[in-house]
Amino acid sequence: MTGPTKPNTQPLDLESAAREVTEAHGKLKSEIHKIIVGQDQVLDEVLAAVFCGGHALVVGVPGLA
């Protein structure tokens, strides 16, 4: 298993930055989908909070944890 890769420290143009974030989102989502099934909207919203540096409160229907 390899460790985390070093982030690219060179300045990026907006198109490259958007491409990188989209690629990272896709990789994260595919890995998370291996464990969590059927919660696409929740997953998208949590990943949006993570990428924006924000917080997310996840509340579900009682008994479906």
Side-chain angles (χ1 to χ4, degrees):
M1 177 176 237
T2 60
T5 59
K6 219 175 180 184
N8 188 357
T9 56
Q10 296 176 354
L12 298 174
D13 59 283
L14 290 178
E15 187 176 324
S16 296
R19 195 175 310 116
E20 253 185 54
V21 169
T22 302
E23 184 179 315
H25 177 267
K27 287 179 182 179
L28 276 172
K29 195 170 178 180
S30 68
E31 289 298 315
I32 293 170
H33 268 296
K34 292 178 182 178
I35 305 298
I36 300 173
V37 178
Q39 297 291 327
D40 291 331
Q41 182 178 356
V42 174
L43 181 56
D44 286 336
E45 291 171 359
V46 168
L47 286 177
V50 169
F51 279 116
C52 293
H55 302 278
L57 176 63
V58 180
V59 179
V61 179
L64 295 181

